[in-house]
Amino acid sequence: MSDGAGSAPAAGGLTADGVFSGGGIKGLAFAGGLAAAEEAGYSHWHELAGTSAGAITAMALAVGYDARGIKDALDAFDFKRIADYGFPISLIGAARNLIFHESVVEGDELTAFIRGLLDESHIEGVHADMTFGELSSLEPKRTLVVIGADIAHSRTVEFPPDVSLYEDEQGRVLSPEEFPVYKAVRASASFPYFFPPVGDLVDASTKKRGVIVDGGVSSPFPLFIFDKPQPKHPTWGFHLHSGVNASESEASYREIGGLDWPVEMLEAILTTAMNALDKFELRRFASRVIPIPTGRVATLNFNLSADEKAYLYDSGYKATKAFFAAQPVPENSYGETPAADVVARR
């Protein structure tokens, strides 16, 4: 891991809570956004939450990565590996996986990527199988909330607190503190039909297997999760959208057709639903949401060109730079902002 991943936050830097939306491969833009946030003074992240790609970003920050470290890790990984069909001919491999794994790809490479991020952290005590209990014991203390969706039980699942709703296959109720971080993040990133769902958790009430998929199905952008009547830190939300500029009213066009039209249509349906879920809330709380346009980059395009990767990073950086230049006031859902001295320091 690079020096950027292992360096300590700048002394005297500002502290914030961070919430990151889903977006698949477009989550590469978060690295640029975090770089601009650091330039604005935010080098300490306390409470972190995310869905799908946002969950991966939140996890990385929680275990000590900074913007440079996240960018280096993303640059070093070959994302084409994520599309692990497990067969030389992709269409045949995809069909086989749909039958046996409930997905187009096997998902092993995504799991390995998430576990690798944990293993390569510079923070002592962080490892691939670390639990939420181990994470909460790190210093400085951080909170991580990961959003998934149990489509078999029609509910949003917040990891770790909702882990206690489930039991293992031996009938033992699961402990939130003992649940592996990587498994929660992997569940949150399980884009339906493309990645296999996490299905080894049994609901303690129905005694039926949960089918846990991408949290974006029910809560793509959990902006209010850390809101308090008396907030100590601002909450900044990093929200990916498919527009071509910072205005989330601007849209981009995608072609749906060809041999892989079923996957393209499913992606388009879910993306449209996810964008609609938070539309009105985003308008109400625009003062603390950083809208990051991702243009025509598709959520599941793991074969990005160098230009597309650079576009995502630059888009995140420019959008966040402009956002903080406007001196936003982070009013939360209680109508409150952090203490005046904190805002003044910003």
Side-chain angles (χ1 to χ4, degrees):
M1 188 53 59
S2 71
D3 291 341
S7 57
L14 298 174
T15 297
D17 301 330
V19 178
F20 300 84
S21 74
I25 193 64
K26 297 185 288 187
L28 296 174
F30 289 139
L34 289 168
E38 286 182 7
E39 290 181 6
Y42 290 97
S43 55
H44 303 270
W45 297 95
H46 179 58
E47 294 184 306
L48 295 152
T51 298
S52 191
I56 295 174
T57 302
M59 180 197 76
L61 289 172
V63 298
Y65 286 78
D66 60 8
R68 175 62 183 277
I70 291 175
K71 183 179 188 301
D72 287 348
L74 296 176
D75 286 344
F77 186 75
D78 180 6
F79 282 93
K80 291 192 294 293
R81 292 167 48 190
I82 295 291
D84 53 343
Y85 297 99
F87 197 90
I89 303 175
S90 295
L91 287 176
I92 296 177
R96 179 182 65 84
N97 286 330
L98 276 173
I99 295 171
F100 294 105
H101 299 291
E102 302 174 312
S103 63
V104 172
V105 303
E106 295 182 352
D108 293 339
E109 291 293 341
L110 175 61
T111 301
F113 171 65
I114 295 168
R115 288 170 58 84
L117 284 175
L118 291 168
D119 251 348
E120 294 177 26
S121 167
H122 73 284
I123 300 292
E124 185 177 354
V126 177
H127 56 93
D129 293 303
M130 77 176 302
T131 65
F132 278 95
E134 290 175 310
L135 176 63
S136 66
S137 69
L138 297 178
E139 291 291 345
K141 293 186 180 298
R142 298 182 181 91
T143 297
L144 174 65
V145 177
V146 174
I147 305 299
D150 183 347
I151 57 176
H153 292 91
S154 303
R155 66 179 172 221
T156 297
V157 180
E158 291 184 19
F159 294 97
D162 289 343
V163 167
S164 59
L165 297 174
Y166 297 90
E167 58 187 30
D168 62 21
E169 294 178 347
Q170 285 72 47
R172 295 172 298 209
V173 174
L174 298 177
S175 165
E177 294 292 297
E178 296 175 1
F179 197 79
V181 171
Y182 88 85
K183 193 170 185 177
V185 175
R186 170 65 181 78
S188 181
S190 300
F191 197 96
Y193 286 112
F194 193 81
F195 294 112
V198 172
D200 59 347
L201 304 182
V202 177
D203 182 87
S205 176
T206 66
K207 306 301 181 182
K208 301 294 185 181
R209 183 174 70 96
V211 179
I212 302 177
V213 301
D214 194 317
V217 170
S218 58
S219 182
F221 189 44
L223 180 61
F224 314 115
I225 200 164
F226 300 129
D227 283 359
K228 304 174 181 67
Q230 296 179 319
K232 293 182 178 180
H233 316 294
T235 295
W236 301 121
F238 295 76
H239 188 262
L240 304 177
H241 69 98
S242 57
V244 294
N245 59 40
S247 171
E248 300 208 34
S249 64
E250 296 291 332
S252 63
Y253 172 77
R254 73 172 70 207
E255 190 76 31
I256 299 175
L259 292 175
D260 56 353
W261 71 265
V263 174
E264 290 180 352
M265 181 170 287
L266 175 65
E267 179 186 345
I269 290 170
L270 290 175
T271 299
T272 301
M274 291 175 192
N275 287 339
L277 280 173
D278 294 306
K279 181 177 181 179
F280 297 107
E281 287 86 349
L282 290 173
R283 288 178 181 173
R284 168 66 178 85
F285 296 100
S287 64
R288 59 174 178 162
V289 177
I290 303 162
I292 301 175
T294 56
R296 299 185 64 182
V297 177
T299 301
L300 300 177
N301 179 14
F302 297 103
N303 192 27
L304 293 181
S305 67
D307 287 345
E308 287 173 317
K309 291 180 180 179
Y311 163 75
L312 288 172
Y313 181 88
D314 291 343
S315 183
Y317 179 84
K318 292 174 181 177
T320 307
K321 188 82 170 177
F323 176 83
F324 283 115
Q327 294 291 301
V329 177
E331 179 181 311
N332 69 16
S333 57
Y334 290 92
E336 299 292 335
T337 59
D341 60 331
V342 175
V343 176
R345 286 173 60 209
R346 179 177 51 75

